[in-house]
Amino acid sequence: MAVQERGLGIGPVSGVRIERINVRHSGSMKPLVAAGNADGAITDVLLQDVVLEGTPLCTFDQLGISLDANVEEPTVTYRSA
């Protein structure tokens, strides 16, 4: 997904919650999450109860996603059943 500026400004983005997701296959591409500049910073992101190919996600690094300088490292939590 990409959001492109159309002269209206580009952000910031905060309070994103990604919860109870089962990723069956992560694919071969290594995605980049980029805000582009401080005006479009991405902050306060939570990944909770995410399972990646059968393994509970405990760190964001497990996803293999690169973040640019204007994206805050997401908080990752997993509550075992």
Side-chain angles (χ1 to χ4, degrees), residues 14 17 30 37-38 48 51 73:
S14 66
R17 302 292 180 257
K30 299 299 179 191
N37 62 47
Q48 183 170 310
V51 176
E73 182 82 15

Side-chain angles (χ1 to χ4, degrees), residues 11-23:
V13 175
S14 66
V16 178
R17 302 292 180 257
I18 301 170
E19 301 178 67
R20 297 184 348 231
I21 302 292
N22 182 13
V23 180

Side-chain angles (χ1 to χ4, degrees), residues 58-74:
C58 297
T59 68
F60 190 73
D61 289 337
Q62 285 175 277
L63 289 173
I65 296 175
S66 299
L67 306 174
D68 83 359
N70 297 301
V71 179
E72 180 181 279
E73 182 82 15

